[in-house]
Amino acid sequence: MIVVIGKSGQLAQELHLLDSDLICLGRNDINLLSREDVFHTLNKLSPDAVINASAYTAVDKAETEEEQAFLINAEAVKFLAEYCEVKRCHFVHVSTDYVFKGDKGSPYISSDIREPRGVYGASKAQGELYLSSIINTSACIIRTSWVYSSHGNNFVKTMLNLMTQKDELGIISDQIGTPTSAKVLAQACLAAAKNRVCGIQHWTDLGIASWYDFALAIQEIAFEKGALNKNIPVRPINTEQYPTPAVRPKYSVLDKTKNSDELNVENAHWRVHLSTVIDELIEKK
């Protein structure tokens, strides 16, 4: 049996669609901030593997809610890791490109030094460190970035809404990364759990993009498919023109070439996956 932590998130929803036999736990089912409750709840289920898809992801808010970010992204991971180590249960933990500083200029490999620039990245990096220090053998960290789907709140859905409401948009063009379909990320997480893949893996869609590139593609594909009835001007702006409380990495492309062969999931360019998600959004209307 595989237990998924983080029932309401877009990744957990995709995991459940992928395999309805998964047991998904939300905040009403398990108290991640209590080691006792984590052990008590998981003991009743006795899973073979745990996929941690829960996280504090409010990047800007984390700058003023540091304690909360570290509790969810680090302390909760520690409790889950301790359970999995004691019970010899495989642990798959989802992390982020924000553990890196973003100034390398080439894709980050799994062994690159963690140098987070903000509270969110620091809390996720601490979670990784806890996991690595607690579990000696059966654990996998999957780092990802720019996750989107037809569920919940994400950049794709925000852009589509703004493009129906605004006459023009300015989108940041000097932050470079890779979008990630939650559906295909879910496939990678499930493969890691079932095949007991270990170590640090990187998973995103293929290709690279700026947020500006991503926004242009969203409008182009959505207009072609009839999800938008007009095109509006989308202009590139730099980070300095759109200041935020948290500092974002300027270049956080993740290198996937060193991933385990056991993480055998067919991938595609981010535009291909984006087209699929927009189809799903149209079907939901």
Side-chain angles (χ1 to χ4, degrees), residues 61-82:
K61 194 181 287 188
E63 295 300 309
T64 55
E65 294 185 354
E66 182 172 356
E67 181 180 3
Q68 186 71 3
F70 270 85
L71 283 172
I72 297 170
N73 291 343
E75 294 301 311
V77 177
K78 179 170 71 173
F79 299 151
L80 290 168
E82 287 173 344

Side-chain angles (χ1 to χ4, degrees), residues 33-187:
L33 305 185
S34 163
R35 185 181 187 278
E36 181 181 1
D37 193 67
V38 166
F39 272 71
H40 175 71
T41 301
L42 293 179
N43 271 335
K44 289 190 295 183
L45 297 169
S46 191
D48 301 302
V50 172
I51 300 174
N52 183 28
S54 70
Y56 180 107
T57 58
V59 176
D60 288 323
K61 194 181 287 188
E63 295 300 309
T64 55
E65 294 185 354
E66 182 172 356
E67 181 180 3
Q68 186 71 3
F70 270 85
L71 283 172
I72 297 170
N73 291 343
E75 294 301 311
V77 177
K78 179 170 71 173
F79 299 151
L80 290 168
E82 287 173 344
Y83 172 85
C84 290
E85 175 65 10
V86 169
K87 300 295 181 177
R88 294 295 185 263
C89 171
H90 191 62
F91 188 31
V92 178
H93 173 62
V94 181
S95 193
T96 174
D97 58 329
Y98 275 63
V99 300
F100 298 121
K101 189 174 182 179
D103 61 354
K104 181 183 175 184
S106 61
Y108 282 92
I109 61 174
S110 59
S111 59
D112 278 332
I113 296 172
R114 301 175 183 90
E115 290 183 283
R117 302 190 69 183
V119 171
Y120 167 69
S123 66
K124 293 293 287 185
Q126 185 60 55
E128 288 190 12
L129 289 169
Y130 277 148
L131 190 161
S132 299
S133 66
I134 293 166
I135 301 181
N136 295 318
T137 54
S138 198
C140 177
I141 294 170
I142 299 182
R143 294 189 185 125
T144 190
S145 65
W146 300 19
V147 179
Y148 66 94
S149 71
S150 60
H151 315 290
N153 299 315
N154 54 68
F155 185 77
V156 173
K157 294 177 76 173
T158 297
M159 287 297 103
L160 290 173
N161 287 332
L162 290 175
M163 285 164 180
T164 62
Q165 299 167 8
K166 302 289 186 181
D167 294 325
E168 69 172 58
L169 289 175
I171 306 295
I172 291 174
S173 62
D174 59 351
Q175 293 175 18
I176 309 298
T178 307
T180 305
S181 161
K183 182 187 299 293
V184 189
L185 175 62
Q187 294 173 14

